[in-house]
Amino acid sequence: MAKSERAQKVFIDWSQNADFKTTVGVYSLRAKRGRPFTSLPVTWEELQSALKTRNADGLYFEPEAALKRLERTGDLFASVLTAQQSLPESIAESTPKQPARASKTSEPRPTLPRASAQGGRKRFVVQKHAASHLHYDFRLEMHGALKSWALPKGVPYDLNQKRLAMATEDHPMEYLDFEGTIPAGQYGGGTVMVWDIGTYEVMEGNYYKGNLQIYLNGKKLKGEWHLTKDRAAKNKNWFLVKTGSSMKPLRVKSENASALTARTMEQIAADKTAQWHSNRTPVAGLDIDKLPRSEMKFIEPMQAKLVPALPEGGDWSYEIKLDGYRALAIKDHQTVRVLSRRNNSLNGRFPAVAEAVDRLEDGIILDGEVVALDAEGRPSFNLLQHHKGNAEPLVFYAFDLLAYRGRDLRDLPLRERRQLLDAQLANARDPIRTSLLLNAPAKDVVAAVQQQGLEGVIAKQIESRYESGQRSGRWVKFKVNRGQEVVIGGYKPSGKNRFENLAIGYYEGDRLMFIAKLKNGFTPAAKDEIFARFKGLANKVCPFANLPEPKNARRGEALTREAMKKYRWLRPELVAEVEFTDWTAANHLRHSKFIALRDDKDPREVIHEV
């Protein structure tokens, strides 16, 4: 079943009928999105249309829609019961015969194996470990870490031979090729040899169900093994069983030598240059194990304070101000949660981000921003708001690391958190990226941001700790374009399903203060979308504490008691983002322009930013 054993052959995967498989029969319910959908057959024309528009939403059907579709199209899968199929003769004729085995030549020093880009082939290592007692550690690369088992009697060679495999803690990926000594108290201490190393493929089963059939392709081990959990015992005992066929015993020299360096355990122990520390991090002198454990749950994000000028000096770092959804990405016990700043799940809305986080090491909390990029590569909140589940390009820019290997980093200085973040995401793939630091004087950074048409700059004190939910001024934001978040409290109707303008404001404590009538920046489609959001929010009482206005309150028509009769009031639950030119002396916005609705903001957090 291993790919290396069936090159240029037709593979009939009978094993998909086995237990623990994720294959689901036609017309079954699936649950990989926020709502269940039905496994339905689709036509080639529908598939071509999805490819052409780069939008697969039309291929997913919720239960009610599936039933209506069946009434309309009938059972597209029915022909499977009667269709007669056969393989073309050309395939059988072109299948090459088994190639002759190459003559044995001296092997060069082995290089480290690489995982496949598609994710089908992962790495494994067997380490011979002389600690309080000699044993072997069996480790499989999985979800950015090394799943590990201790084998007291080593790997079985004979068919159906069963060996005890005791599950141990996950190890970091950098332990994959470690060979040397371990200080006492860390991973059991002692001397470690890379006894075998290579790649493996999952043939059957699922790790989380305690049943894993694998094919190993190592320097010494080649063939099939079965890892199975002991269901009878309530401990972490597994068993490693040799399946497929027996393996020839290794020669004594190979049995006792490293697969990487050909050294013996005695030679490795004598080498004092290679020593492992379980708390090894990119930050010199940082002992991860001494940090408090993180609760691995939602953390209220730290906020940036608006400033009139960008601070200067070597104790500040600069980043682009990203116009998107602030998000926390948490991976704990192989479970991924992407959460908004209001602690709502974003997994269903941005599944590509959740899938990318799942490839990272366990025990992390990332703070960042989900953004959609326009054709020029600039963040666009409007594109993000109308983003489809499979649209491109969507990026999660991570700019802080709040937990690492299950430890709380918030009391560390930003400088050290940033070093750990860069190391954690060094090999991350899109849509996860690290927010870049802008290493230039403040005036040059501002000039570059203005030239590129970006929103602004975030400046952070490099020694600052992470202050959850605070706006202390150790993080600040400088906006190139003047902007303000506002709460929608009412509207002036225009026609049946439209509005002429919106009554907007911000909070001062518990009081919602009216600041402007917003009428610019709307497209017809935006007006339709916003008006649809008014459903269920109707309110008989005006929510603004500072209305009605006197007649001389503003240029143009003031919202006097008489003018207020023309408005419809709403519960203040919708937040919008606007741009403007200035504040008036009466604290009203001048020349305000609608940018987008903000689903990720709590209305009570919308204040006057100065």
Side-chain angles (χ1 to χ4, degrees):
M1 187 164 183
K3 293 176 184 175
S4 60
E5 298 295 316
R6 51 181 167 91
Q8 297 183 330
K9 295 181 181 179
V10 174
F11 177 57
I12 300 176
D13 194 357
W14 53 268
S15 70
Q16 291 296 329
N17 297 318
D19 198 4
F20 307 113
K21 283 296 181 182
T22 58
T23 305
V24 167
V26 69
Y27 306 120
S28 300
L29 287 179
R30 302 303 305 265
K32 294 186 72 175
R33 288 188 166 192
R35 291 175 58 82
F37 60 93
T38 310
S39 173
L40 281 186
V42 297
T43 65
W44 287 109
E45 290 77 14
E46 289 172 313
L47 183 59
Q48 289 291 348
S49 175
L51 288 169
K52 185 176 181 180
T53 60
R54 301 187 69 184
N55 184 355
D57 288 350
L59 304 180
Y60 293 87
F61 304 90
E62 292 186 7
E64 290 184 359
L67 292 174
K68 291 178 180 178
R69 174 182 166 85
L70 277 168
E71 290 178 359
R72 186 175 70 254
T73 66
D75 182 6
L76 299 179
F77 213 64
S79 61
V80 171
L81 297 175
T82 55
Q84 298 293 319
Q85 302 181 61
S86 60
L87 293 176
E89 292 182 4
S90 58
I91 292 182
E93 293 172 356
S94 64
T95 302
K97 298 179 179 179
Q98 274 302 94
R101 294 190 179 274
S103 59
K104 188 173 182 180
T105 59
S106 59
E107 295 185 2
R109 178 171 171 171
T111 56
L112 290 179
R114 295 195 302 174
S116 68
Q118 293 83 7
R121 185 177 68 247
K122 299 291 186 181
R123 289 164 289 193
F124 84 93
V125 65
V126 178
Q127 290 166 316
K128 195 172 183 179
H129 190 174
S132 57
H133 59 280
L134 183 65
H135 66 280
Y136 292 81
D137 292 314
F138 183 62
R139 311 190 195 281
L140 300 178
E141 177 186 6
M142 203 176 295
H143 301 292
L146 293 173
K147 292 293 178 187
S148 302
W149 295 262
L151 306 175
K153 297 185 177 180
V155 178
Y157 295 163
D158 297 330
L159 182 62
N160 298 325
Q161 186 179 21
K162 184 194 308 189
R163 294 276 175 83
L164 177 64
M166 296 178 289
T168 61
E169 63 184 301
D170 289 0
H171 282 47
M173 283 305 302
E174 51 263 47
Y175 200 82
L176 180 78
D177 62 336
F178 173 72
E179 189 169 84
T181 57
I182 304 176
Q186 297 184 13
Y187 294 162
T191 303
V192 171
M193 168 202 287
V194 176
W195 184 83
D196 193 23
I197 192 167
T199 60
Y200 78 95
E201 296 176 41
V202 176
M203 299 169 59
E204 288 281 354
N206 185 306
Y207 166 81
Y208 302 104
K209 303 239 180 163
N211 182 63
L212 203 58
Q213 188 84 18
I214 56 178
Y215 184 92
L216 301 180
N217 185 18
K219 304 299 179 184
K220 300 177 182 178
L221 300 175
K222 295 186 187 294
E224 300 175 19
W225 278 264
H226 185 200
L227 261 172
T228 179
K229 200 167 189 178
D230 186 356
R231 298 293 180 185
K234 294 183 178 180
N235 50 33
K236 295 184 177 181
N237 286 353
W238 292 58
F239 293 103
L240 184 63
V241 185
K242 185 68 184 78
T243 57
S245 60
S246 295
M247 195 186 101
K248 291 182 179 180
L250 298 176
R251 294 180 179 179
V252 173
K253 184 177 180 180
S254 179
E255 179 75 52
N256 295 327
S258 164
L260 283 182
T261 63
R263 295 184 299 176
T264 64
M265 291 293 283
E266 292 75 16
Q267 290 170 322
I268 295 169
D271 182 0
K272 302 302 182 184
T273 62
Q275 191 176 71
W276 174 266
H277 296 280
S278 65
N279 61 358
R280 181 188 292 179
T281 72
V283 181
L286 176 61
D287 190 342
I288 288 290
D289 293 336
K290 289 185 179 179
L291 296 177
R293 291 197 174 276
S294 174
E295 293 188 59
M296 302 305 295
K297 63 180 184 180
F298 173 76
I299 296 171
E300 193 172 352
M302 185 173 175
Q303 300 297 319
K305 188 175 183 180
L306 187 65
V307 293
L310 202 60
E312 300 185 57
D315 56 342
W316 290 91
S317 65
Y318 306 125
E319 301 172 43
I320 293 172
K321 186 180 185 301
L322 299 165
D323 194 11
Y325 282 145
R326 184 76 173 272
L328 291 181
I330 304 173
K331 185 182 180 189
D332 181 42
H333 291 96
Q334 310 304 328
T335 299
V336 171
R337 286 169 292 156
V338 181
L339 303 174
S340 73
R341 60 186 296 174
R342 301 177 69 179
N343 197 17
N344 295 321
S345 175
L346 297 175
N347 287 47
R349 186 164 186 177
F350 306 123
V353 174
E355 290 170 10
V357 174
D358 194 34
R359 293 193 291 264
L360 301 178
E361 185 177 344
D362 213 40
I364 61 168
I365 301 179
L366 298 170
D367 187 6
E369 194 105 357
V370 179
V371 303
L373 303 179
D374 65 15
E376 303 297 325
R378 293 173 300 209
S380 168
F381 188 80
N382 193 44
L383 285 178
L384 179 65
Q385 194 175 46
H386 298 91
H387 174 78
K388 301 297 182 183
N390 61 339
E392 295 287 345
L394 184 80
V395 180
F396 175 67
Y397 281 108
F399 47 69
D400 213 327
L401 185 62
L402 312 186
Y404 179 65
R405 296 180 185 170
R407 301 289 178 169
D408 194 333
L409 305 183
R410 286 177 291 171
D411 281 334
L412 294 180
L414 173 63
R415 169 178 47 80
E416 295 185 359
R417 299 199 307 271
R418 186 69 200 214
Q419 285 179 266
L420 292 169
L421 174 69
D422 290 342
Q424 175 67 247
L425 301 186
N427 296 314
R429 292 179 285 175
D430 277 351
I432 295 181
R433 301 180 189 175
T434 307
S435 175
L436 295 179
L437 298 178
L438 308 176
N439 297 315
K443 62 181 181 63
D444 294 339
V445 168
V446 172
V449 166
Q450 287 176 322
Q451 184 180 15
Q452 294 297 323
L454 300 171
E455 184 182 5
V457 182
I458 299 289
K460 302 174 182 178
Q461 289 184 340
I462 60 175
E463 297 299 327
S464 60
R465 62 180 295 274
Y466 192 89
E467 300 168 300
S468 300
Q470 301 299 309
R471 202 185 299 265
S472 67
R474 304 199 76 180
W475 288 13
V476 299
K477 56 185 175 183
F478 172 75
K479 291 186 176 180
V480 174
N481 298 320
R482 306 192 74 172
Q484 169 75 40
E485 290 158 6
V486 295
V487 179
I488 301 173
Y491 65 97
K492 185 177 181 180
S494 174
K496 184 177 180 182
N497 294 315
R498 287 286 178 88
F499 56 85
E500 182 179 315
N501 61 59
L502 303 178
I504 58 175
Y506 61 74
Y507 274 95
E508 285 184 357
D510 292 331
R511 302 169 73 228
L512 183 63
M513 309 301 292
F514 171 76
I515 60 171
K517 293 183 288 185
L518 182 63
K519 59 183 178 181
N520 295 320
F522 300 105
T523 64
K527 280 195 171 185
D528 291 341
E529 179 185 354
I530 294 169
F531 195 87
R533 299 287 292 275
F534 294 164
K535 187 176 181 179
L537 298 181
N539 197 9
K540 293 182 179 180
V541 180
C542 172
F544 296 104
N546 58 339
L547 289 182
E549 294 181 310
K551 289 185 178 181
N552 61 350
R554 63 174 66 245
R555 294 178 182 176
E557 184 185 24
L559 262 182
T560 62
R561 192 177 302 278
E562 190 66 25
M564 288 172 63
K565 295 178 181 178
K566 302 176 184 177
Y567 279 73
R568 303 288 183 269
W569 305 113
L570 304 170
R571 294 201 306 274
E573 296 181 11
L574 295 178
V575 176
E577 185 177 339
V578 300
E579 286 183 358
F580 62 97
T581 58
D582 206 351
W583 290 92
T584 69
N587 204 36
H588 293 146
L589 292 182
R590 178 174 289 143
H591 302 307
S592 56
K593 176 184 175 183
F594 173 79
I595 300 300
L597 289 176
R598 298 294 310 228
D599 294 331
D600 58 326
K601 299 295 177 74
D602 186 339
R604 290 282 177 172
E605 294 180 357
V606 175
I607 61 173
H608 184 185
E609 290 193 295
V610 294

